[in-house]
Amino acid sequence: QKEVEQNSGPLSVPEGAIASLNCTYSDRGSQSFFWYRQYSGKSPELIMSIYSNGDKEDGRFTAQLNKASQYVSLLIRDSQPSDSATYLCARFFRGYNKLIFGAGTRLAVHP
Amino acid sequence: DVKVTQSSRYLVKRTGEKVFLECVQDMDHENMFWYRQDPGLGLRLIYFSYDVKMKEKGDIPEGYSVSREKKERFSLILESASTNQTSMYLCASSTTGTSLNEQYFGPGTRLTVT
C-alpha cells in the first residue's frame, strides 16, 4: 500500500479557474506536509509546506490540511498556463528523517 | 536562498564504469539526500546523510554508495554502472531547525549508461 496517494491526472483546467489537487496518506502520525511543483525535465521546487490543520495561503496558492481525514490539498487560484506542471505531495516520515513522496498529479492549464 | 548544485546536468557513461555524482549545498544544512526519478516510478530515495561521515540507506541502495566527508558535499557513487541505472538523479538538502525538514533540490543530473 502506497503511503502517499495522488491521482496521476492529467487534471485539465481552463485559464483563470481554480485548480484543486488532492493527496491522501496512511500514517496518522504524520505532522509535516509539502507541495512541490516540477516542470518537465526540471527538478522539484518547494511551493508550500503545512504543519497544522486548516488552511495556509501564499499568493495564489492555498494548502489545506485535514489530519482527521488524512488528506492534504493544494488550491491554485486564477490558474495560468505557466502553472502547468506535475505537483508532488510529500509527508515527513518521523523517526527516519525523510520525506515520502506521492507519484504526482499532472496539471494542464489551457488558455 | 538555498542553493544546491550538482556537478553535471547531463552525463553519458559506459557499462562497468565507476561514476561519481557530486552535490554541494551552501546553506549549512545537516541533511542531504540522493534520489532517482524514473517515469512511472516517481522519486525513490537511494541514500541520505544527517551528518558528516554518516549515511543511511534509503529505499533502493543496491548498486550505489555515498560519501560525505564535508558538511556541504554529498557524493553518490555508482561502483560499476549498469544500463538500469540510467535515470535522473536528484540531490536535496534540508535542516532540522526552524524549516522543519523542507527539502530543497538541485537541478538534477540526467545519467545515461550505454
Side-chain angles (χ1 to χ4, degrees):
Chain A
Q1 182 181 2
K2 291 183 181 178
E3 297 185 50
V4 178
E5 293 276 0
Q6 293 183 259
N7 188 320
S8 61
L11 174 66
S12 182
V13 300
E15 184 174 357
I18 296 175
S20 178
L21 303 158
N22 300 309
C23 171
T24 58
Y25 60 95
S26 56
D27 178 8
R28 287 190 176 273
S30 296
Q31 298 296 318
S32 309
F33 299 86
F34 308 90
W35 282 100
Y36 287 82
R37 177 177 62 199
Q38 187 173 24
Y39 293 113
S40 180
K42 303 294 186 182
S43 62
E45 172 193 10
L46 179 67
I47 52 173
M48 291 283 286
S49 55
I50 186 166
Y51 312 110
S52 305
N53 271 330
D55 295 359
K56 179 182 178 183
E57 188 174 319
D58 184 0
R60 294 188 297 114
F61 299 99
T62 299
Q64 300 174 318
L65 175 58
N66 184 322
K67 291 186 179 180
S69 300
Q70 294 178 243
Y71 78 80
V72 56
S73 301
L74 180 70
L75 302 178
I76 306 175
R77 289 182 299 281
D78 189 23
S79 295
Q80 301 297 310
S82 59
D83 294 325
S84 299
T86 297
Y87 290 79
L88 304 173
C89 169
R91 68 169 182 89
F92 179 62
F93 195 172
R94 184 182 296 279
Y96 289 87
N97 199 25
K98 65 179 184 179
L99 295 185
I100 305 297
F101 284 87
T105 298
R106 190 157 62 90
L107 173 67
V109 181
H110 53 86
Chain B
D1 280 352
V2 176
K3 185 82 172 185
V4 181
T5 58
Q6 295 183 229
S7 49
S8 305
R9 290 300 312 275
Y10 300 94
L11 208 53
V12 180
K13 295 292 182 181
R14 293 193 179 276
T15 302
E17 279 192 82
K18 191 168 186 177
V19 182
F20 293 87
L21 302 181
E22 302 284 335
C23 175
V24 178
Q25 50 92 8
D26 67 356
M27 286 301 293
D28 201 35
H29 282 175
E30 298 87 358
N31 312 309
M32 296 187 75
F33 306 82
W34 275 107
Y35 295 88
R36 64 177 284 179
Q37 189 175 32
D38 303 285
L41 296 177
L43 277 166
R44 292 183 291 170
L45 182 64
I46 303 171
Y47 268 98
F48 63 105
S49 167
Y50 50 84
D51 202 352
V52 175
K53 296 192 184 295
M54 303 298 289
K55 61 183 179 183
E56 293 286 341
K57 292 181 179 179
D59 302 316
I60 52 163
E62 296 79 18
Y64 303 94
S65 62
V66 290
S67 172
R68 194 164 181 206
E69 297 296 320
K70 294 184 177 181
K71 190 175 185 180
E72 68 271 19
R73 188 179 297 269
F74 192 35
S75 302
L76 179 70
I77 303 152
L78 286 66
E79 296 289 345
S80 177
S82 62
T83 54
N84 63 12
Q85 292 178 311
T86 292
S87 186
M88 169 72 97
Y89 289 87
L90 292 159
C91 175
S93 72
S94 73
T95 181
T96 47
T98 56
S99 298
L100 289 176
N101 302 296
E102 295 173 345
Q103 285 188 17
Y104 297 90
F105 285 85
T109 296
R110 187 166 292 282
L111 173 67
T112 302
V113 183
T114 62

